[in-house]
Amino acid sequence: MPRIDRRTFLKAAGASATALVASSSLPAVSETEKGLIAVSTPLATFPYGDVQLHEGPMKRQFDENHERFLHLDEDRLLKVFRQVAGLPAPGEDMGGWYDLTGFSLERNSFRGFIAGHSFGQYVSALARAYAVTGSEETRSKINRLVKGYGETLDPKARFFVDYRLPAYTYDKLSCGLIDAHEYAQDPMAMEIHERLTRAIGAYLPEKALSRAEQRSRPHKDTAYTWDETYTLPENLFLAYQRSGKPLYLEMAKKYLEDDTYFNPLAEGNNVLPFEHAYSHVNAFSSAMQAYITLGSEKHLRAARNGFEMLEKTQSFATGGWGPNEAFGEPGTGQLGDSLALTHASFETPCGAYGHFKITRYLLRVTKDAHYGDSMERVLYNTILGAWPIQPDGTSFYYSDYADTGRKVWYGQKWPCCSGTFPQLAADYHVSIYLRSHDGIYVNLFTPSSVRWSDRGANLALTQVTQYPFDNKIELHISASQPHEQVVYIRIPAWAAPSPTVMINGRQIQETVEPGTFAALRRSWNDGDRIQIELPMPLRLEAVDVNHPNLVALLQGPLVLMAVAEKQPAFDAQSLLRARPPANAAGDWSAISADGTPVTMRPFLSIDKESYSAYVKVSG
Ligand SMILES: [Zn+2]
């Protein structure tokens, strides 16, 4: 396992909340002390390796992705870069989005579609997986990939001549290289990153361009028409924090999409409509890094407001958003209308990855349980139902919420979603628990454990649960000595009316209020047990106000979808009397308006059967 420096935790214990805490995402020596960031967030992520997933769907997805990319042929991954560099380029083509030839949208003036676009994401995912597992096989693969990529990089980064989306691919390479450095201690990654960054400017516009600005620019071909310059700052700010080099800071500031996006969002103007969905949610994380690195309150406001607009005006009951990858106009009924118009309801691995990042940032800053509620909706209703990436790059891409929907594979191999899926599966480890100066936040309920140290005590917490198929969660504490800490437990907003928390069999005196973190301050002893029981009433959520009779049935965080060849209709009250499964991971059952029983099943349990995420109700 990678060794983690715990002195910052010790330091934090005796210091003010602002002096908090390093982890692998806020590196070992406090960046505020080094003057590299302006704001230490009240909550920090744990180092990847301090959290373990136990048997369950999250662990399965992490293991599958780690395995898939650990065994993906390196010559194939490096081939396009070697081809352009004129180096020997053995190995088969990857196929799909990844190659220099063979796929083209409207024009042929570009090399392939987005050759090599996801290389950086695969390196990033492997680096995070190494931080989780300590697998030397994984680390040496990262080292070979980084070295191999560096050999293809010339001082002018000629790979990007006539390249369709230079910012898009640079952003992913940037992420892969800084993660290889940060999580796998790769010796060459930051030097390569700097060479690439110095060269890439020649291929980028002078500032972050909105889609409208890109379209309005006269250009000999389609360059700049839909590149994503506005997502660059997040990784550039991180590169600055990890290297201390002003080059990255200046470039990060330059590509903040202030004039057309963050300024209006900060002022409460909803400028989401018609923007590309995933990349503009991803841009919220750039705003959060502007807040953390520069102390810019405006950017924090922009991210908070933007996320609220996303939830209130663009989101399905599953937590997914952006049918056909675009935001619609609030109040027009566009979400409900989309159910009859498209099967491309939510770009799932990418959207979930972006959603996890922004909710994690906002949770770290605000300690607001609502962001955890939002994260788990997306977890259980979208990404955990994604099919695993196949050895040939065939990938799951869109979730389908159409009147009658199906899971399908995406038509092109190695798309964007093959890059974000393994990154997100590794990020499960940094999303379940967060660290505060006085204890630990339990954000997600899933079989797992976490360890930490505080003022000379070694502590661990293990979760045992079948959640969300059961409403009970047990937390087992181990402690090297009796030790005072606060264990904060997220009580979801839907867990009404009376969630209960017991410690060692006795109900606690503290308030346990849905929609907040319950705070349990104790001197904890080895073997202490916390038992949580969350009420999970069935409830209905309309797709939007214009379609009050198109509803999703929910229990706890789960949307229960109707397994049917044709969208069924229900009486609302009878749908709310759906019968729970007899066994842990079984099906719910409801009686439709015409009296036939309908199986109701959560997205993560659906395979090839057709289903309706939303059903019609009367009454
Ligand atoms: Zn995608």
Side-chain angles (χ1 to χ4, degrees):
M1 302 293 280
R3 296 269 67 87
I4 304 300
D5 178 359
R6 287 193 173 68
R7 68 204 155 89
T8 44
F9 286 174
L10 302 177
K11 222 187 305 177
S16 72
T18 51
L20 186 70
V21 156
S23 69
S24 46
S25 70
L26 292 177
V29 175
S30 164
E31 304 298 2
T32 31
E33 285 170 29
K34 286 195 287 182
L36 295 176
I37 62 171
V39 177
S40 269
T41 58
L43 302 185
T45 49
F46 277 90
Y48 285 87
D50 284 1
V51 177
Q52 272 199 312
L53 297 171
H54 299 170
E55 282 315 313
M58 293 167 84
K59 177 169 167 50
R60 195 189 67 235
Q61 286 194 335
F62 170 70
D63 288 344
E64 283 169 353
N65 277 293
H66 184 199
E67 181 75 11
R68 173 69 58 238
F69 290 95
L70 180 59
H71 295 110
L72 192 54
D73 184 83
E74 291 157 31
D75 283 332
R76 294 180 66 202
L77 283 165
L78 289 164
K79 184 168 181 176
V80 289
F81 303 106
R82 288 169 170 163
Q83 283 172 312
V84 178
L87 296 171
E92 285 174 35
D93 287 344
M94 291 278 284
W97 285 25
Y98 202 95
D99 292 339
L100 286 170
T101 54
F103 181 94
S104 158
L105 288 182
E106 64 278 23
R107 296 180 187 214
N108 288 315
S109 59
F110 291 89
R111 297 208 172 100
F113 181 38
I114 330 176
H117 70 107
S118 48
F119 176 84
Q121 293 176 297
Y122 304 152
V123 172
S124 160
L126 286 168
R128 295 173 193 187
Y130 169 71
V132 171
T133 62
S135 147
E136 279 306 321
E137 199 187 352
T138 304
R139 175 148 78 170
S140 29
K141 186 175 191 91
I142 294 161
N143 294 156
R144 289 190 302 273
L145 288 172
V146 169
K147 181 166 178 288
Y149 173 72
E151 286 164 2
T152 70
L153 179 64
D154 63 89
K156 294 201 161 155
R158 280 181 294 115
F159 184 79
F160 291 99
V161 173
D162 284 340
Y163 191 86
R164 191 186 297 267
L165 303 170
Y168 182 85
T169 295
Y170 165 74
D171 190 36
K172 297 160 192 278
L173 285 165
S174 169
C175 185
L177 290 166
I178 61 177
D179 283 359
H181 164 79
E182 178 74 11
Y183 303 126
Q185 298 81 46
D186 184 273
M188 301 173 75
M190 283 316 273
E191 179 266 322
I192 294 167
H193 187 272
E194 186 173 340
R195 281 201 281 137
L196 173 63
T197 303
R198 289 191 186 282
I200 198 69
Y203 307 93
L204 301 178
E206 77 288 357
K207 67 169 195 111
L209 297 180
S210 70
R211 291 276 165 117
E213 287 172 315
Q214 291 172 70
R215 279 191 297 269
S216 73
R217 291 204 170 191
H219 203 278
K220 68 178 167 59
D221 47 36
T222 55
Y224 297 159
T225 52
W226 34 289
D227 204 1
E228 297 172 4
T229 39
Y230 42 81
T231 70
L232 295 177
E234 184 189 18
N235 286 313
L236 287 165
F237 280 124
L238 288 168
Y240 168 68
Q241 290 165 29
R242 291 166 187 182
S243 70
K245 298 204 169 173
L247 157 79
Y248 298 120
L249 184 65
E250 292 314 311
M251 196 163 149
K253 289 195 272 192
K254 182 169 155 181
Y255 289 103
L256 286 167
E257 193 185 10
D258 283 341
D259 47 2
T260 57
Y261 198 52
F262 296 137
N263 289 346
L265 286 178
E267 288 159 18
N269 297 324
N270 190 342
V271 288
L272 300 186
F274 313 116
E275 295 292 3
H276 177 249
Y278 163 60
S279 60
H280 282 81
V281 168
N282 202 15
F284 295 156
S285 291
S286 285
M288 289 307 293
Q289 276 298 341
Y291 169 66
I292 290 168
T293 315
L294 308 173
S296 168
E297 295 282 344
K298 175 183 84 178
H299 287 97
L300 174 59
R301 262 196 326 275
R304 287 180 78 155
N305 290 348
F307 186 78
E308 195 183 334
M309 292 163 192
L310 174 78
E311 280 204 300
K312 290 197 172 148
T313 68
Q314 308 291 340
S315 294
F316 295 104
T318 59
W321 31 259
N324 291 330
E325 301 194 28
F327 292 133
E329 241 182 317
T332 60
Q334 51 92 19
L335 273 186
D337 290 345
S338 79
L339 305 182
L341 298 172
T342 182
H343 293 277
S345 305
F346 176 48
E347 184 189 353
T348 294
C350 289
Y353 178 63
H355 201 101
F356 263 66
K357 274 199 302 177
I358 185 58
T359 47
R360 205 163 53 230
Y361 275 125
L362 287 168
L363 188 54
R364 280 169 54 191
V365 169
T366 65
K367 302 190 282 184
D368 185 339
H370 176 71
Y371 296 116
D373 288 9
S374 179
M375 184 190 280
E376 81 168 352
R377 258 193 205 236
V378 166
L379 175 67
Y380 291 114
N381 299 306
T382 79
I383 188 64
L384 282 181
W387 285 333
I389 299 167
Q390 300 300 294
D392 68 354
T394 301
S395 298
F396 188 81
Y397 193 114
Y398 293 117
S399 292
D400 183 354
Y401 308 145
D403 297 346
T404 306
R406 263 182 198 280
K407 289 186 183 176
V408 293
W409 294 112
Y410 186 62
Q412 298 291 332
K413 298 183 197 314
W414 308 112
C416 51
C417 288
S418 74
T420 43
F421 196 172
Q423 289 183 296
L424 174 55
D427 283 358
Y428 292 158
H429 295 84
V430 295
S431 306
I432 303 167
Y433 305 97
L434 291 113
R435 184 82 168 96
S436 66
H437 73 282
D438 57 359
I440 181 169
Y441 278 66
V442 180
N443 180 47
L444 296 177
F445 304 122
T446 193
S448 59
S449 55
V450 58
R451 62 201 161 106
W452 73 103
S453 305
D454 183 67
R455 289 166 292 155
N458 293 318
L459 302 152
L461 184 152
T462 299
Q463 275 197 64
V464 181
T465 184
Q466 299 284 321
Y467 182 94
F469 295 100
D470 186 17
N471 66 343
K472 297 181 192 66
I473 302 124
E474 275 206 13
L475 308 178
H476 302 172
I477 307 269
S478 35
S480 60
Q481 59 197 62
H483 191 74
E484 185 174 312
Q485 288 277 273
V486 188
V487 176
Y488 295 90
I489 298 163
R490 183 174 57 84
I491 308 297
W494 44 255
S498 38
T500 59
V501 177
M502 301 202 289
I503 298 176
N504 299 329
R506 299 178 60 166
Q507 196 149 336
I508 61 162
Q509 299 305 308
E510 290 94 334
T511 36
V512 180
E513 199 183 320
T516 68
F517 280 94
L520 314 181
R521 181 183 293 280
R522 294 286 186 286
S523 181
W524 296 98
N525 295 305
D526 195 43
D528 280 346
R529 285 180 179 227
I530 304 169
Q531 290 163 306
I532 305 148
E533 199 170 323
L534 301 172
M536 287 186 171
L538 286 163
R539 62 195 196 277
L540 303 179
E541 284 185 16
V543 63
D544 57 37
V545 290
N546 306 63
H547 299 86
N549 296 327
L550 277 176
V551 303
L553 174 67
L554 290 96
Q555 182 157 44
L558 288 176
V559 175
L560 304 174
M561 304 184 176
V563 176
E565 294 296 325
K566 188 168 169 290
Q567 187 180 41
F570 293 88
D571 170 76
Q573 290 312 311
S574 103
L575 187 55
L576 283 168
R577 288 193 298 270
R579 284 205 323 277
N583 56 9
D587 294 323
W588 281 253
S589 173
I591 304 296
S592 74
D594 64 13
T596 46
V598 178
T599 295
M600 308 297 290
R601 189 174 287 169
F603 192 64
L604 74 169
S605 307
I606 288 172
D607 188 28
K608 298 209 168 78
E609 61 276 31
S610 44
Y611 61 88
S612 301
Y614 286 89
V615 296
K616 293 179 209 149
V617 288
S618 55

